[in-house]
Each structure stands twice: as C-alpha cells, then as structure tokens.
Amino acid sequence: KLCGYLQKLSGKGPLRGFRSRWFVFDPRRCYLYYFKGPQEALPLGHLDIASACFSYHQPEAGGAAAAGDEAAAFEVHSPDGAVAVLKAATRQDMTYWLQELQQKRWEYCNNLDAAKRDSRTSPTPSDFSKGLVAKDNPGSILSQNASAERARNILAVATSPTDLVGEQAASQPAPVQPSAINFSLKQWSTEIKNSMSSLRKGNNENRKSVFYTTEEWELLDPTPKDLEDSMALEEKRKQLAEGSKGLTSSAFPFEFGRIPHKTRRPLKDMIGSSKNRNSSDSSSTEWYSGNGNKLVSELQLKYQSQQEELEKLKKDLLSQKELVRLLQQTVRSSQYDKYFASRLCEGIPKDKLELLHEKDDQILGLNNQLEKLNLEKDSLQQEVKNLKCKVGELNERLGMLMETIQAKDEVIMKLSRQLSECEDNTYSQSGAVNSSVATCTNKELQELDRLKDNLQGYKTQNKFLNKEILELSALRRNAEAREREWQAKYTSLEAKLCQIESKYLILLQEMKTPVCSEEQSPAREVITQLLEDALKAETSEQPEQAFFKPHLVSEYDIYGFQTVPEDDEEEKLVAKSRALDLRSLSLSENREISTGVKWENYLASTMNREMMRCVELKNLIRSGIPHEHRSKMWKWCVNLHVKKFKDSTVPGYFQTLLQNALEKQNPASKQIELDLLRTLPNNKHYSSPTSEGIQKLRNVLLAFSWRNPDIGYCQGLNRLVAIALLYLEQEDAFWCLVTIVEVFMPRDYYTKTLLGSQVDQRVFKDLMSEKLPRLHAHFEQYKVDYTLITFNWFLVIFVDSVVSDILFKIWDSFLYEGPKVIFRFALALFKYKEEEMLKLQDSMSIFKYLRYFTRTVLDARKLTSIAFGDLNPFPLRQIRNRRAYHLEKVRLELTELEAIREDFLRERETCVEKRDLISDDEEDS
C-alpha cells in the first residue's frame, strides 16, 4: 500500500510552512488522503490524483543552502489551478512517490476505459489469501497500449523507498519539521537567551597563546602527540620537585609557549610562503623568541631547584639546633647529677658505678656529634652564599642574553624584510602565474563537478517530465475516446428514454380512459412490451445494441450470490429492481469519503503491534469491514474468542477430527450429505456437487460433529459454515463455527429441542414490547406471531433473510461483539419498516409482508444507524437476565409436554382404538 510521511506546505502569512502529515492513497477513488498521524481516522483533506499532474524543480548543485531544503519538494497541480507542494525526507523518497503516483494514476484512468467496469463486481485488487471469494477477485484491466507501456518502462527511474514510506512507517516517529519555519514568540525568546548565554560563556573562557601562519590567521592547535609530551614533562617536573638534592624542576606560574617546538614552522618556509610583510615579521619574531624563552626557562628551573634545596637545608639546620640544645641540657643535668652522686653514693656498688661511666661516655659522644653538626652547618651556610652568588651571576647573564636576543631579533626583522622584498620582486610574476593557474584549475574542476551533478539531475528530471508528458498525452487521448463513447451512449439512452416515456404516456392515457369492450386493451400490449424489454437477456446477436446498453446489474455479486433468479419471472423483475436500487445506493456512497481509507490507515498503524479491542476498532467494524480486509478481520475476531480452546488443543487438531469423522462411523454424516446442496443453492460456490465450496463445507461439518457429539449436526449449521467459508479457510471456518455454537450462543441452542432458540424468541418479544411498543401492540391486536419469522433469523444469523450487503455487515459486528448484535438488527429491521407495517390492517397481509419485507431493506447505513443509535441503551446484562427467566419457564413447559406425550403413549397402548395413531417423530423415523 502506498502510504507514508510527507511534509505539506500549508498556512498563510508568516505561519506558512511545511507540516508533517501522514499520506494514504485510496485506489478506489484515486485520492491521496492526508492525516495528522497514522492513528487518525478522519482525513484533513485529499488530493485528486486521477486529474492531477506532477512536477519538481531541479536545484543547482553547490547553490544556496536553501536549495537543499527544497531538493526533495514536488508539486501536484490540480485542474482548478490549485498547487499542492509536498516534500519528502530525501530525493530518493520523492522519486519513489512521484513514480508510484504516476503508476496509480495510469492504472486508475486506464481502468475507466475497461468495459463493464463495476466497483461492486470488480473490487480493488488486494492481498486476498483466504476464502472462496478470494478466487473471484479480478485484477485491474489495464490498457493494451504496448508502445506506451514500453516508453514508460524506458523512462522509469529505478528507486526504492526508505523507512518513511510504506506501512512500516506508521511505527516510525514523524520527521522533525524545519525550525526555520516556526515563527513562534517562544522560539524567538529561546534563541535570544541562547545567544546571550553564549556571549557570557565566551567572556569567561581562558585566554590562550596562539600562533598564526602567514597564509591565514587560523588557530594551530597542538597534536595529540604534543599533548602527551606536555603531560609527561609536567609529571617529570613533579617528580623532580620531590626528589633528592641536585635535581631541578619548574616553579614558574606561567609557561612560555603552549605549543611544542615541533608544531612551529621553520623561518625559511614561513618567509617563502608569506603574502604580506607584517605577518612575516610577526612569525619570525615569535620563532626566535621561542629559542630565547627555552634558555631562560632552563635557567629559571635551576634557580628554582636551588631555592627549594636551600629551604630544605634551613629546615634541617633548625632541627639540628634544637637537638643540640636538648643535648646540652642533658649534659648539664648529667654533670650536676654526677657531682651530687659522687658525694652521696661513695658506698654504691661497682656495677652501678660502671653504668654511670657508660652514661658519661655517651654524653661525650653527643658533644662530639654536636661539634660535627656545627661544622656541617657552617659549610652549608657557606654553600648557600655561593649559590646566591651564582644565582646573581645567572640573572645578570639572563639579562644580557635577553638584550642580545632582542638585538638579534631586530637584525633578523630587517633582513627578513629585505629578503621578502627581494623575493617578491624576483618571483612575483612566476608566483602569480602559478597561483592563478592552480586557482583556475581548482575552480574549473569544481565547476566541472557541479556541471556533472546538474547534468545528472536534469537527466533524471527530463526522464520524469517526458514520462509525465507521455502519460498525460495518452490519458488525454483515452479521455477523449471515452468522452466520445459516453456521448454515443448518452444519445442511445436518450432515444431509449424517449421510447419508454412515449409508451408510459400511452399507458397512462389508456388507464385514464376505461375500455368497456372485452377485446384486449392496447395498454396490455404496452405493458407486455415493457416487461419484455426489461427482462430481455443480453445476447451477442445484437452487438451494436449491447455496446450502448448500460451494464448495471451483473449475474453474480461479489459474494457469489445470484442477483436475478432464472425460474420465476415475477421474482426476476423484483430482483432486478432491487439490484438496481442497491447499485444506486452504492454509487451515492462512493461520492462520500470512503471508509476503506480509514481501514487502511488503521491497519497500517497496527502493523508493528498486536491489534487490540478498542472503541475506534468497534466503530470501524460497525460501519462495515471492507471487502479486501474481511478475511483478515474475521480470522482475528474468531481467534480472539476461541484462544482458550485453541491453546488447549494439539497442533493438527482439525485434521485429526476430520480424519476420525471420515474413517469411523458418524451418525451425522448422512444428514450432512443431504443438506449440502440445499445450503446456498443461489450461490455459485455451492450450486453444484463439483463446486469447490461443497467439499470444504462437508469437511468442516464432519469435523465439528465429531468434536461436539451432543449436537452432531443441526440444520442451520450448514449455512453458518457456508457464509464463513466465503472469507475463511477450512480450519478457520471450523473455529468460527465453534465460536458461534460454543461461545456466543447459549447451551441447547442447536440441540434437538432448540431450547436456547425458543428462549431467545421470548426475550425478543420482551424487547419488542419495550423498544417498539406501537408495533408490538399492532401485532398483538391482529394476533400475529412474528417469532415464526424471526426464529430463523436467530438460528442462522439472517442468512437468506436480508440482502447480501447487509448480511455481511451484520456478520462483521456479530463476530466482534457477540449475540447481542442479532437482537439489535432484528429490532432495527422492524423499526426500519414500522410505519409500513402499522398501515396493514389484517393478519394475512401482515404475515405476508413479514415473509418478504427484509429483502426490501437496502440501505445498510440507515439500518446500522438504527441498530447502534436509535435503539440505545442496549445492555447485555438485561438480555442475560431475561434469558435466565424464560429458560426456567420453557423447561417447565417442555417437562409438561413430555409428561403429556408419555400419557398419550400409555393410553395408546391400552386403548385399541388409538393404536393406529402415530406422532410426528415416529412418522419421520
């Protein structure tokens, strides 16, 4: 399906701009609908592709930036002069959209030329995969203009869509719209805030020393290798600062030259490539300043290391002084103690005296160590003085070197100026020629590339426009031929109308003037002739008349049902009239917005997610499932209701049931065989024993009879399966029957007693008295039991009771919502014809009208509106409660009837006179 995201130019004034929209092509009317998004059901508008032409502008390669925004834009021109501007995400998508729209227009317009084109009998081709009606789906009848087709194929451009085109695009987010189109004040304020923020941020950035080349003033950032070298150097300096004496490190708070020496260009290259004197001077100055800065940096590193070492020695000196002071105090206290100890402890033992002597020796050792430390301190102080002197000398040398470098820089500047002037004078002509040649060559190459791109673009555009002209010319010729044909048909039909009007006036005149004679009236001859003309078959003996005759009614409708019966001439006339009314309703519905595009849009939005029950889906199903989507939706509805049954079965369950039913004795098989050809004799899929539907119908009924032996087979099940097989395969139709019998309907609905069916008729009577009290009272007044008619409606869900279009719309809602739909539509049918029924004043005419009135209900939209609108509220709980109430009453009545039957049988056995009496059941057996 052709669908996807495009941007449409819309709006007025400053708000005019491109807005992202979801586009879906409807092949039934050749309309391109556009929505706000994939989930929307109502379109914002549409473009008539059948009468439109397409164009786009080829942007200049290398043009302005705005050209890139319009590179994927194309125009759709309508006959009234309106131009719709659409823009795809890429030029590839634009080409794909244009070619697909051309193809759809070509197919649609050529189909208009096909004979007997009927939207009801020739639906739009779709991806049918299930059911008997899938085999009847005819393809589009395209024009047999071989030369035009060959030319179109030659001019076609091979392309493929991106993710923003196709059903899978529904799961993708909408493309971001260009911000330049949004003129809201909020965006303006945001942009102003961002600008002010960037300005404030720029003021806070750190300043960096940068170098500039002579060609252009552009920043030369260091390479990653240079950054690694700088990090290694910093790490080494930290290690040196923490190392031993004699190692140096940097302690300057700033750096000379952020960019390593490797990134600087040599002076000769810089001067040779210079374009102006000032930039050359600045470059050479920076290069020589870098060499001087390197020497100064080394000296500063040495000085800093000496300073750090000096500070460390000072700290060591202070600690040693403190230690000496403590030792002196210890010596004094020891001498004082010794003095008193010699006086007081003359009688002390010898070992203690030896201990005292050891202490004295330690004191002497400490004194010696103190003297050594004092000597070392003096030497360090002297070394510090020497270092200070060296630092002073280095500072003097540094100043001298700076002055020398400055003087050399001045000399170099003068020499470089002179060299530059000489080189400019010497090589000015050759350099100018070389540079101009190189510049011209580059420009020519760029121009050549641009021209090649433009040439390729114009070739593609030329192919597209030639194809567009070819198609429009062919379509114009076809339209002219079709117009001539229509003119001839119009003339023929006008002549035919004049003849019919003439006969009609004669008939009116004869009816106005009564004929008293017994001879045959001319009016009867006129009526007979009109009937013969209306029922005349279309033969090949009169091709000129058949050519001009409108083909409004086909032999079979899209479901395979016969539209006009062959046996009954009176019924044949009524059926043809009914088919013409249906055709008229169909043509009037086609003029409105098609529901098919809503379905396609919804299904595209659920492509990548599981379909769930929701209000939107319920409303779509109530409006009717399109013919091409009915197989998919019926299967989904059936699986929704029988999922619990399917999960509990083994794979191949249906085939196993069928095999058992065929191989083993099945009591229901005989009755099934008798009813096969009586199922839908007016449908071509079941009309003969060799029809494809007969075998499938047999298989499904046999498999179900084996699954559910309590029911086996009941007349009515065959019609349910036959309708299901029109859109479902055998196994899916089997599960559809399981859904109806075992999920939707109450128990004993299809058993021998038909208990559930009888209960529903009583419930329906209650609803009639509540929803349609006037009509119910009218029936009661004339003692008309309308349940004799409605019983079959409920049993086979309106099969053979309503026209096929309405039947399948009822089944759409029934398979989704359940049995409540039967009550809704049964009441809606009575309400649809309520006024006509109230005019009937006797029971015979009422009952006769009830037998056929459902076939005269043709407007499915009106009937659906009554069923789901006028009859609300319609709670399911009320139906369940009334079913339970009437079920008990019917069971009691059946019990009483069974007792009466047993009494009758006993009495017959005992009474000789009644032995010859037999019941209906005994007569059937």
Side-chain angles (χ1 to χ4, degrees):
K1 296 181 180 62
L2 183 59
C3 57
Y5 284 107
L6 287 174
Q7 292 186 14
K8 185 178 184 297
L9 185 63
S10 58
K12 296 182 179 179
L15 298 180
R16 184 171 176 80
F18 286 98
R19 291 173 174 81
S20 182
R21 296 288 181 254
W22 175 258
F23 283 78
V24 179
F25 181 78
D26 181 12
R28 299 170 187 80
R29 309 179 68 187
C30 202
Y31 280 0
L32 185 64
Y33 291 94
Y34 53 92
F35 303 77
K36 282 187 177 180
Q39 286 75 27
E40 297 292 328
L42 295 177
L44 300 176
H46 69 273
L47 303 176
D48 187 1
I49 302 301
S51 57
C53 60
F54 315 106
S55 65
Y56 71 93
H57 299 287
Q58 172 63 27
E60 291 288 336
D69 297 336
E70 304 299 330
F74 60 96
E75 299 174 352
V76 181
H77 299 262
S78 300
D80 57 357
V83 180
V85 182
L86 307 178
K87 186 166 67 173
T90 62
R91 287 188 64 81
Q92 181 182 356
D93 283 346
M94 180 195 74
T95 306
Y96 179 81
W97 272 101
L98 286 172
Q99 297 216 64
E100 285 298 312
L101 290 176
Q102 277 185 335
Q103 182 66 23
K104 301 296 183 184
R105 181 187 61 189
W106 178 260
E107 293 175 358
Y108 180 82
C109 293
N110 282 328
N111 283 340
L112 294 177
D113 301 327
K116 297 183 180 180
R117 174 169 177 80
D118 186 350
S119 63
R120 296 176 53 79
T121 57
S122 301
T124 303
S126 184
D127 52 343
F128 278 110
S129 58
K130 303 288 188 297
L132 296 172
V133 293
K135 317 301 189 293
D136 299 330
N137 184 40
S140 298
I141 306 174
L142 297 179
S143 175
Q144 300 299 323
N145 193 343
S147 61
E149 287 292 341
R150 284 197 300 270
R152 290 180 70 253
N153 294 333
I154 292 173
L155 294 174
V157 179
T159 184
S160 58
T162 62
D163 292 339
L164 294 178
V165 181
E167 292 183 343
Q168 71 279 0
S171 61
Q172 302 288 335
V176 180
Q177 303 175 21
S179 59
I181 305 301
N182 189 357
F183 292 92
S184 62
L185 295 176
K186 183 178 180 181
Q187 184 174 1
W188 283 351
S189 62
T190 304
E191 291 179 357
I192 292 173
K193 290 178 181 179
N194 293 337
S195 301
M196 298 301 295
S197 176
S198 63
L199 290 175
R200 289 194 296 270
K201 184 178 179 181
N203 294 334
N204 296 331
E205 290 180 351
N206 297 327
R207 299 176 181 268
K208 294 184 178 181
S209 301
V210 296
F211 292 90
Y212 298 92
T213 63
T214 57
E215 292 88 355
E216 296 179 1
W217 293 81
E218 57 183 11
L219 179 63
L220 295 178
D221 294 327
T223 62
K225 186 175 185 306
D226 297 331
L227 292 175
E228 293 177 2
D229 296 341
S230 300
M231 294 295 294
L233 182 60
E234 290 293 333
E235 192 67 27
K236 186 176 180 181
R237 287 176 181 173
K238 291 180 182 179
Q239 294 176 0
L240 290 174
E242 299 172 358
S244 59
K245 180 180 176 180
L247 298 178
T248 60
S249 63
S250 173
F252 280 85
F254 57 87
E255 299 177 25
F256 289 96
R258 288 185 176 272
I259 302 178
H261 182 65
K262 295 179 182 179
T263 62
R264 301 190 185 95
R265 299 173 59 186
L267 178 63
K268 183 176 180 180
D269 295 342
M270 295 171 68
I271 295 176
S273 61
S274 64
K275 298 297 178 184
N276 59 71
R277 186 176 302 155
N278 295 332
S279 61
S280 176
D281 297 341
S282 61
S283 300
S284 57
T285 302
E286 290 180 6
W287 186 77
Y288 277 101
S289 298
N291 287 331
N293 290 339
K294 183 177 180 182
L295 182 58
V296 172
S297 178
E298 292 176 356
L299 295 175
Q300 293 289 354
L301 289 174
K302 276 189 176 184
Y303 176 75
Q304 182 66 20
S305 63
Q306 295 295 338
Q307 289 282 2
E308 292 178 356
E309 190 66 27
L310 181 60
E311 291 296 330
K312 184 185 289 188
L313 291 174
K314 285 182 179 180
K315 291 179 182 180
D316 292 341
L317 180 60
L318 290 175
S319 62
Q320 295 295 338
K321 283 183 178 182
E322 183 65 23
L323 180 59
V324 169
R325 187 179 62 79
L326 293 175
L327 289 173
Q328 286 178 351
Q329 291 179 358
T330 304
V331 169
R332 284 196 296 271
S333 61
S334 298
Q335 289 178 352
Y336 182 77
D337 293 340
K338 182 180 179 182
Y339 174 76
F340 283 101
S342 62
R343 293 290 186 93
L344 297 175
C345 303
E346 292 179 353
I348 293 175
K350 185 177 180 180
D351 54 347
K352 292 184 179 180
L353 289 176
E354 290 178 356
L355 180 60
L356 291 174
H357 287 305
E358 289 179 3
K359 294 293 184 182
D360 291 338
D361 293 337
Q362 291 178 1
I363 291 171
L364 291 176
L366 290 174
N367 287 331
N368 294 333
Q369 187 176 1
L370 177 60
E371 291 176 358
K372 290 180 181 179
L373 291 174
N374 287 332
L375 294 174
E376 187 175 354
K377 183 190 74 170
D378 295 338
S379 64
L380 289 175
Q381 288 177 350
Q382 185 63 33
E383 188 174 355
V384 168
K385 290 179 181 179
N386 295 334
L387 290 174
K388 285 183 178 181
C389 294
K390 288 182 179 180
V391 169
E393 293 176 359
L394 291 173
N395 286 333
E396 291 177 359
R397 290 178 60 188
L398 178 60
M400 292 172 63
L401 289 172
M402 292 294 290
E403 293 175 0
T404 304
I405 289 171
Q406 187 175 359
K408 289 182 177 180
D409 286 343
E410 293 176 359
V411 174
I412 290 170
M413 294 290 288
K414 292 178 180 180
L415 294 175
S416 63
R417 289 193 193 101
Q418 295 176 4
L419 180 61
S420 179
E421 291 175 359
C422 294
E423 289 183 350
D424 288 342
N425 294 332
T426 305
Y427 301 105
S428 59
Q429 296 180 352
S430 61
V433 172
N434 293 334
S435 61
S436 63
V437 170
T439 304
C440 292
T441 303
N442 292 332
K443 288 183 178 179
E444 289 177 356
L445 291 175
Q446 293 177 359
E447 182 69 14
L448 182 61
D449 293 338
R450 187 180 68 83
L451 291 175
K452 286 182 179 180
D453 293 340
N454 284 341
L455 178 61
Q456 185 63 34
Y458 284 124
K459 282 183 178 180
T460 304
Q461 185 184 24
N462 186 42
K463 278 187 176 182
F464 170 76
L465 293 178
N466 285 336
K467 184 181 178 184
E468 182 74 5
I469 293 171
L470 174 68
E471 288 191 4
L472 291 176
S473 300
L475 294 177
R476 180 182 59 83
R477 291 192 298 270
N478 293 342
E480 291 175 353
R482 188 165 57 248
E483 185 178 359
R484 290 192 297 269
E485 180 185 342
W486 286 349
Q487 185 67 31
K489 286 184 178 180
Y490 169 75
T491 305
S492 175
L493 291 174
E494 190 175 11
K496 184 71 175 177
L497 178 62
C498 292
Q499 295 175 8
I500 294 176
E501 286 183 351
S502 174
K503 295 176 181 179
Y504 179 66
L505 292 175
I506 294 173
L507 179 62
L508 290 179
Q509 180 65 27
E510 291 293 333
M511 296 298 294
K512 180 180 179 181
T513 306
V515 179
C516 300
S517 63
E518 297 179 356
E519 297 179 359
Q520 187 176 4
S521 170
R524 291 189 177 275
E525 296 180 1
V526 174
I527 294 172
T528 303
Q529 185 63 35
L530 288 175
L531 287 175
E532 289 179 358
D533 292 342
L535 299 176
K536 186 180 295 183
E538 300 167 1
T539 62
S540 58
E541 298 177 357
Q542 300 171 336
E544 66 281 355
Q545 294 183 8
F547 178 78
F548 294 115
K549 187 172 182 180
H551 305 282
L552 298 178
V553 179
S554 60
E555 184 179 2
Y556 296 96
D557 60 11
I558 57 175
Y559 314 105
F561 289 99
Q562 195 174 21
T563 55
V564 180
E566 298 178 355
D567 47 359
D568 190 352
E569 192 166 299
E570 182 178 355
E571 179 63 24
K572 185 176 181 180
L573 187 64
V574 174
K576 192 165 185 177
S577 173
R578 182 167 58 243
L580 289 171
D581 290 338
L582 286 171
R583 174 64 175 160
S584 175
L585 287 172
S586 173
L587 292 174
S588 63
E589 289 178 359
N590 284 340
R591 289 195 293 267
E592 302 178 6
I593 294 179
S594 173
T595 58
V597 70
K598 300 178 184 178
W599 270 99
E600 290 173 2
N601 195 45
Y602 177 80
L603 293 177
S605 67
T606 59
M607 181 180 179
N608 295 321
R609 61 181 176 89
E610 186 178 357
M611 198 181 302
M612 304 293 291
R613 301 187 70 158
C614 61
V615 177
E616 180 185 3
L617 179 60
K618 182 172 72 173
N619 293 333
L620 282 175
I621 291 177
R622 284 181 173 182
S623 65
I625 302 174
H627 181 68
E628 59 269 24
H629 300 307
R630 188 166 278 134
S631 294
K632 176 181 178 181
M633 292 306 302
W634 278 19
K635 183 177 180 180
W636 179 82
C637 291
V638 169
N639 291 335
L640 184 71
H641 296 297
V642 296
K643 188 176 185 301
K644 59 180 181 180
F645 294 112
K646 278 191 169 183
D647 293 342
S648 61
T649 59
V650 297
Y653 176 70
F654 170 75
Q655 295 297 332
T656 304
L657 290 176
L658 179 59
Q659 192 69 22
N660 292 334
L662 291 173
E663 293 176 354
K664 300 178 182 179
Q665 186 177 2
N666 188 355
S669 60
K670 182 179 179 180
Q671 188 61 41
I672 290 174
E673 289 296 330
L674 291 175
D675 287 347
L676 286 178
L677 292 178
R678 293 185 294 185
T679 302
L680 293 176
N682 60 337
N683 190 291
K684 64 181 180 180
H685 301 294
Y686 307 99
S687 58
S688 67
T690 57
S691 299
E692 184 181 1
I694 293 295
Q695 182 59 40
K696 292 184 176 182
L697 180 62
R698 179 187 293 111
N699 294 341
V700 175
L701 292 175
L702 287 174
F704 181 80
S705 66
W706 197 260
R707 169 186 168 85
N708 200 328
D710 293 338
I711 297 176
Y713 171 74
C714 172
Q715 288 184 342
L717 298 183
N718 54 336
R719 296 187 177 186
L720 298 178
V721 175
I723 294 298
L725 281 172
L726 291 177
Y727 284 99
L728 300 174
E729 290 296 336
Q730 294 184 68
E731 185 172 356
D732 297 324
F734 165 78
W735 287 112
C736 180
L737 184 61
V738 172
T739 302
I740 296 172
V741 176
E742 301 182 16
V743 179
F744 287 166
M745 298 305 190
R747 293 188 62 182
D748 299 327
Y749 210 90
Y750 295 97
T751 55
K752 186 176 181 179
T753 60
L754 299 177
L755 178 62
S757 301
Q758 297 181 53
V759 169
D760 272 1
Q761 295 310 302
R762 302 195 180 192
V763 174
F764 181 66
K765 271 191 172 182
D766 292 346
L767 293 175
M768 278 284 289
S769 63
E770 177 184 339
K771 300 290 184 180
L772 302 173
R774 287 196 307 152
L775 189 59
H776 178 73
H778 185 68
F779 288 150
E780 292 293 325
Q781 178 184 354
Y782 292 99
K783 295 181 173 56
V784 175
D785 187 6
Y786 52 86
T787 59
L788 298 176
I789 303 297
T790 60
F791 186 85
N792 195 54
W793 296 0
F794 283 74
L795 195 66
V796 295
I797 313 170
F798 298 99
V799 177
D800 272 348
S801 297
V802 294
V803 295
S804 54
D805 275 356
I806 293 179
L807 172 66
F808 285 94
K809 289 183 184 295
I810 293 175
W811 272 65
D812 292 339
S813 300
F814 171 71
L815 291 179
Y816 182 76
E817 299 184 48
K820 184 172 70 171
V821 171
I822 307 178
F823 290 96
R824 280 186 178 273
F825 277 98
L827 291 170
L829 286 170
F830 280 107
K831 187 172 180 60
Y832 192 102
K833 295 290 185 178
E834 182 179 13
E835 297 301 326
E836 287 83 348
M837 293 180 187
L838 291 175
K839 294 177 184 178
L840 303 175
Q841 299 299 322
D842 62 275
S843 57
M844 290 298 296
S845 59
I846 293 175
F847 195 77
K848 183 178 179 181
Y849 185 78
L850 290 177
R851 292 182 62 183
Y852 73 87
F853 87 96
T854 55
R855 309 293 296 182
T856 64
V857 177
L858 306 178
D859 193 345
R861 181 174 297 184
K862 179 181 177 181
L863 184 67
T864 303
S865 176
I866 295 173
F868 295 109
D870 298 350
L871 296 178
N872 285 335
F874 211 92
L876 181 61
R877 180 177 55 187
Q878 180 184 12
I879 295 176
R880 289 174 177 169
N881 294 338
R882 292 187 179 183
R883 273 177 169 172
Y885 169 74
H886 287 292
L887 180 62
E888 295 299 325
K889 293 183 66 176
V890 172
R891 281 178 175 170
L892 288 175
E893 293 176 3
L894 289 177
T895 304
E896 293 176 0
L897 288 174
E898 185 65 23
I900 294 173
R901 179 175 177 274
E902 291 178 355
D903 293 342
F904 170 77
L905 292 175
R906 285 195 299 269
E907 185 178 353
R908 190 183 65 175
E909 293 295 330
T910 56
C911 182
V912 178
E913 297 178 354
K914 296 182 179 180
R915 286 181 180 177
D916 296 335
L917 299 176
I918 58 174
S919 64
D920 293 340
D921 293 340
E922 292 174 333
E923 185 178 2
D924 293 339
S925 60

